Amino acid sequence: MASAIGLGMAMIGIVDFGANSFWMRSLANGAMTLSDAARRAFWKSVTAVLLALIILAVTSLASVPSEFLAAAPVFLAMTLAQLAQVPLRAAARSDLVAIALVVSRIFMFVVLLLLLVANVDATVALWASLSLGAFSESFLYLMFTPRVQRFALNDYRFINPWQGSTNFGVYSIATSFQSLDVSLVTSFAGAPAGGSYAAVNRWTQPLGLAVTGFTSAAAPFIARAETFREGWQVIRRAWWMLWVALSACVFAFVLAPIIVPILLGAAYEDSVLVFQIMALGTIPALLTQPLAVFSQMRGADRSVGILTACGIAVRLAATAVLAAGLGAVGGALAYALAQALLVVALGTVFVRAVRNEPRE
């Protein structure tokens, strides 16, 4: 079931190919009308429905486990939810997006419990609750979006939904490849090293959640501001979230000998160094996301896409080489070094994007 859901989630990113982010920026800065965005969203929805039907047909007819039937509904439901979110994000209403997410997750959990109580097979209950939860999320987005800001579809002529989103797509696909690091450590250093690296990676990822939320909420303000200086006046009030995350990384590094046995158990005491390296590597990683997204919102999406793809390619190559000689520590070093290179490269792009803006 995990593989089936993973397949559905992977298809979401591939089909989106940066379109949602591109539409959000274009709507926020006035480069695209709601009618044009609605037309693109319609044809992307048609594509998603057709692809879901193809996936359903293939998984039904091919000799694959029955749980892979879940890939189609999960993919379709979550794709539509992300589409319905775009107008609210463009309007900088991240508060309403957050409410819809929380309510839909509660609904999803309740549905799962009810299905399990009704003796529905656990695998069916899981994918059904995920799908119904995503559909409820779409409904909430539509309800929360003011009528004047909703997609207004009055032209059904075909249009390429991904027109103009290539650079965002390259960035999105490239970042998704980062998840291959665990597989590479396992392949080149063995299962124990891969398990150690994966366990540590799982516990360092939450350090960036606050920055992810901050970046997502701030992006439309940056996009629609006349200048970056104007956008900064709005977002600087939430800049403390970045400092909290950076401080958490420092504390995680210092307290690693205590934290690792508590979080991972005594069997992972040898992973303290891996944890410390990952904690330090997360510091530049916390900066790369806002630098990338803010640069994209100011029109430097091509440079961001190319540099991110190159940086992640370097990271994966370094992971294979260093893990072969140093095991999990090598994987952590590859992560930290690649993030350091990316933050310098994306920082340069960001500074140039801001400096190239017309002066007031």
Side-chain angles (χ1 to χ4, degrees):
M1 178 52 65
S3 298
I5 293 174
L7 173 61
M9 299 293 287
M11 291 301 300
I12 293 170
I14 294 172
V15 171
D16 176 54
F17 199 63
N20 289 348
S21 295
F22 175 66
W23 300 346
M24 187 275 289
R25 184 189 73 177
S26 300
L27 287 170
N29 63 20
M32 184 182 295
T33 64
L34 272 172
S35 179
D36 189 18
R39 187 175 159 206
R40 292 168 182 257
F42 171 76
W43 284 106
K44 183 181 171 184
S45 299
V46 170
T47 303
V49 170
L50 292 175
L51 186 56
L53 291 174
I54 292 172
I55 294 173
L56 191 61
V58 170
T59 52
S60 299
L61 300 175
S63 299
V64 296
S66 59
E67 58 262 25
F68 275 90
L69 292 171
V74 168
F75 156 71
L76 181 60
M78 292 190 175
T79 295
L80 296 179
Q82 290 185 1
L83 277 172
Q85 187 188 102
V86 172
L88 278 177
R89 289 189 62 212
R93 294 307 308 268
S94 56
D95 54 333
L96 296 179
V97 171
I99 292 172
L101 281 170
V102 171
V103 173
S104 65
R105 295 305 181 269
I106 294 174
F107 174 74
M108 186 185 302
F109 180 69
V110 171
V111 170
L112 177 61
L113 287 180
L114 291 175
L115 291 175
L116 292 176
V117 170
N119 292 321
V120 175
D121 182 76
T123 57
V124 175
L126 180 58
W127 70 256
S129 61
L130 284 171
S131 302
L132 291 173
F135 281 125
S136 70
E137 185 181 338
S138 302
F139 175 76
L140 289 171
Y141 289 143
L142 293 175
M143 292 294 295
F144 289 162
T145 305
R147 187 175 297 275
V148 296
Q149 293 172 337
R150 292 178 187 172
F151 283 144
L153 183 61
N154 50 29
D155 186 351
Y156 292 89
R157 290 177 301 165
F158 176 77
I159 186 174
N160 179 1
W162 301 276
Q163 183 179 347
S165 70
T166 301
N167 298 322
F168 284 90
V170 170
Y171 173 80
S172 176
I173 297 298
T175 53
S176 70
F177 273 94
Q178 292 185 103
S179 60
L180 294 175
D181 57 349
V182 175
S183 298
L184 287 172
V185 173
T186 302
S187 298
F188 286 89
S196 176
Y197 178 82
V200 170
N201 189 34
R202 182 184 64 182
W203 283 106
T204 53
Q205 284 179 354
L207 294 172
L209 289 178
V211 175
T212 299
F214 161 71
T215 302
S216 178
F221 289 104
I222 300 297
R224 68 184 183 182
E226 293 294 330
T227 64
F228 178 78
R229 183 185 298 274
E230 178 185 326
W232 173 253
Q233 298 302 317
V234 177
I235 66 172
R236 67 177 181 176
R237 289 173 293 183
W239 201 243
W240 60 270
M241 298 173 71
L242 176 60
W243 291 110
V244 169
L246 292 173
S247 300
C249 291
V250 175
F251 280 112
F253 172 80
V254 174
L255 300 176
I258 300 173
I259 294 175
V260 170
I262 294 175
L263 294 180
L264 304 177
Y268 286 91
E269 287 184 355
D270 293 340
S271 300
V272 170
L273 179 58
V274 179
F275 189 93
Q276 288 179 315
I277 296 172
M278 294 288 285
L280 289 180
T282 302
I283 293 177
L286 292 175
L287 300 174
T288 56
Q289 186 180 27
L291 286 172
V293 173
F294 292 173
S295 297
Q296 289 173 324
M297 294 302 104
R298 303 310 297 175
D301 44 289
R302 183 173 184 273
S303 297
V304 169
I306 293 173
L307 287 175
T308 300
C310 292
I312 291 174
V314 169
R315 174 187 169 183
L316 295 178
T319 298
V321 173
L322 294 178
L326 300 173
V329 172
L333 284 172
Y335 168 77
L337 293 173
Q339 293 300 333
L341 289 173
L342 265 178
V343 79
V344 172
L346 293 176
T348 303
V349 171
F350 175 76
V351 171
R352 287 181 177 176
V354 174
R355 285 183 175 177
N356 289 338
E357 291 185 351
R359 300 295 179 181
E360 293 182 310

